[in-house]
Amino acid sequence: MARKPIVPSARPRRTRKSAAIEPTKYDTASPPAGWYASLKHAVRWIEENPFVRLAAGASAIFGLIVVWETSQQIKIDLADREQDRIDNALGKLNTRAAGDTGRGAALTLLYIKGWDIATFDQSCEAVGNWVVRKPVGNATSDEPGCVAAPIIRDLRFVQASPTWKDRLLENWRSFRNEPRYDYGRYFFWGTRIFRNVRLDETVLVNLKIDRQYFQYIDLDGADIADGQMTRSRVGGSFEGALFNGADLSGSLLSGSFKGANFKFANLTSTGFESVVDIKSAKFEAAMAWADLPPVTYEDKSILDKTKSTVKEAVSPFVPLLNAYPLPLNLLESMTFCAPPMINGEPQSASERPDVREGKCDKVAAINVFEDAVERFKKAIGAN
């Protein structure tokens, strides 16, 4: 008997219903109506309109011009102010007036600006109260003199930051712990040379001269008490100058020191080119480290005794290299301090404090003199 074919039922098959998802406003392809669409069209018009682009470019150029003009005006204003400062300084330096009238700041400004300070004579004769017949007690002398000296406060002649060569040599010397007797060898690269500077018979308050080269400066009768003139080469005339309490460490001085007073001055590693010039100077209570005493470079009797010659300088900036101590009679009036020790060795000279500060273990002048002589003999190869 034949089987009946299977016929699909007319009854629908059950299927799992999925949740209906409602379309959102972002699913429609048509742009939204209302103010948003209008704003969008307006922005597009602005972006694509050539006239608007041209106006924007013109505005940018105009803005740059305004910025440039403003910067130029600022530059002009600063230049005018600077010129006013210079004019004010020139006025102070060219006015005769005793006392403190701002000459120190004026000279410092012109020095920084690169002016030749030698053109401004600031001696008492030029700008102070100078008389043809100087009073002496109740009488009057036949010679001219200064009655009221100009006061020059906060004068600063300081070289700019040391170059890499300066730092390299300084670090090398500190590493080897060498006494710095070759004054001027590396202090003066790029330093200007000052000639014929007159500051005689003035009162210099808070003077600071560092790493400078004065070929000639007149400081006759000047009061430089508590000032600083360090690591510089200074030639000139210093007759009757008062260096009381001044710091002259590391400088090389040359000229006449007749009647000069170095009381309480720091003379550590200070060099004098000629011992003849300082025989009449006063060194009472001047101070220095015992291993870095003040020295001289010219003394014919020294050369005769050692049967040798002192090495000559190779340029105006490099003085004689071999140092000989000052005469014993001058050293005996000074105070010498034993150098601070670190790990059994003398502390580097560049790292030591001012010799006039703190405690001091005194060293006899004869010992200082003999040690310095031995170093001199060793330097020139004498037995």
Side-chain angles (χ1 to χ4, degrees):
M1 182 175 178
R3 303 179 80 178
K4 293 182 179 181
I6 300 174
V7 179
S9 174
R11 187 177 181 179
R13 182 180 296 177
R14 289 186 177 181
T15 58
R16 188 175 181 181
K17 294 183 178 181
S18 59
I21 301 176
E22 298 266 340
T24 65
K25 61 180 181 179
Y26 300 105
D27 294 330
T28 178
S30 60
W35 67 270
Y36 181 80
S38 301
L39 179 61
K40 185 175 181 180
H41 289 303
V43 170
R44 183 178 299 173
W45 180 85
I46 293 174
E47 291 177 346
E48 296 177 355
N49 191 288
F51 295 102
V52 175
R53 291 184 177 183
L54 182 62
S59 299
I61 295 174
F62 179 75
L64 292 176
I65 294 175
V66 170
V67 172
W68 185 82
E69 290 288 346
T70 303
S71 64
Q72 293 300 310
Q73 187 61 45
I74 293 175
K75 187 182 297 184
I76 293 173
D77 291 342
L78 292 177
D80 290 341
R81 292 180 184 179
E82 195 65 22
Q83 187 59 47
D84 290 341
R85 291 180 62 197
I86 293 176
D87 293 340
N88 186 34
L90 294 175
K92 290 179 179 179
L93 296 178
N94 293 323
T95 301
R96 178 182 288 274
D100 187 0
T101 58
R103 299 181 187 276
L107 271 179
T108 302
L109 174 63
L110 297 183
Y111 162 80
I112 295 174
K113 297 301 179 182
W115 288 57
D116 183 8
I117 60 174
T119 59
F120 304 101
D121 185 350
Q122 297 301 295
S123 64
C124 182
E125 182 179 3
V127 298
N129 190 351
W130 184 268
V131 294
V132 178
R133 293 177 177 272
K134 185 176 181 180
V136 179
N138 296 326
T140 302
S141 67
D142 294 332
E143 297 182 357
C146 182
V147 177
I151 299 175
I152 303 176
R153 185 183 300 274
D154 297 328
L155 180 58
R156 298 286 187 269
F157 295 150
V158 181
Q159 187 180 349
S161 300
T163 64
W164 66 270
K165 294 181 180 179
D166 298 335
R167 292 193 176 94
L168 182 62
L169 285 173
E170 179 71 14
N171 292 336
W172 174 248
R173 292 186 167 277
S174 298
F175 174 75
R176 297 185 60 181
N177 199 27
E178 293 182 356
R180 298 188 303 184
Y181 284 135
D182 51 345
Y183 303 96
R185 173 178 280 273
Y186 59 93
F187 292 151
F188 305 106
W189 287 329
T191 302
R192 287 175 287 167
I193 302 177
F194 298 103
R195 301 177 177 88
N196 301 321
V197 178
R198 286 198 62 185
L199 295 172
D200 46 302
E201 297 196 76
T202 58
V203 179
L204 298 166
V205 182
N206 296 329
L207 171 69
K208 185 175 183 180
I209 296 176
D210 186 57
R211 301 167 65 89
Q212 299 298 316
Y213 184 12
F214 286 85
Q215 194 174 72
Y216 185 87
I217 183 172
D218 189 344
L219 289 173
D220 288 349
D223 185 350
I224 319 174
D226 299 320
Q228 177 182 339
M229 196 159 59
T230 54
R231 299 184 297 176
S232 299
R233 186 170 186 179
V234 184
S237 183
F238 312 92
E239 295 186 1
L242 300 177
F243 292 97
N244 297 10
D247 185 0
L248 306 177
S249 59
S251 288
L252 174 63
L253 309 177
S254 61
S256 176
F257 292 88
K258 182 180 179 181
N261 194 329
F262 295 93
K263 189 174 183 179
F264 300 119
N266 181 0
L267 299 182
T268 298
S269 291
T270 304
F272 296 90
E273 284 196 357
S274 176
V275 71
V276 177
D277 295 330
I278 59 174
K279 285 185 175 179
S280 62
K282 300 177 181 179
F283 288 85
E284 284 79 10
M287 301 186 69
W289 293 111
D291 58 337
L292 297 172
V295 295
T296 184
Y297 294 95
E298 293 180 351
D299 192 334
K300 299 302 181 183
S301 62
I302 297 173
L303 303 183
D304 293 339
K305 291 178 182 179
T306 57
K307 306 297 182 182
S308 179
T309 58
V310 178
K311 298 177 183 178
E312 296 182 353
V314 295
S315 79
F317 294 104
V318 184
L320 305 178
L321 300 181
N322 295 321
Y324 195 84
L326 298 186
L328 182 57
N329 64 314
L330 295 180
L331 297 181
E332 286 177 338
S333 61
M334 294 180 56
T335 299
F336 293 97
C337 297
M341 307 296 288
I342 297 180
N343 297 327
E345 297 291 335
Q347 186 181 16
S348 172
S350 60
E351 298 176 355
R352 298 181 191 179
D354 192 315
V355 69
R356 299 166 298 179
E357 300 176 356
K359 296 181 180 180
C360 175
D361 295 330
K362 296 182 180 180
V363 179
I366 183 63
N367 296 335
V368 174
F369 180 82
E370 291 177 351
D371 291 343
V373 170
E374 289 300 321
R375 286 195 295 268
F376 172 80
K377 291 180 178 180
K378 183 179 180 180
I380 65 174
N383 295 325

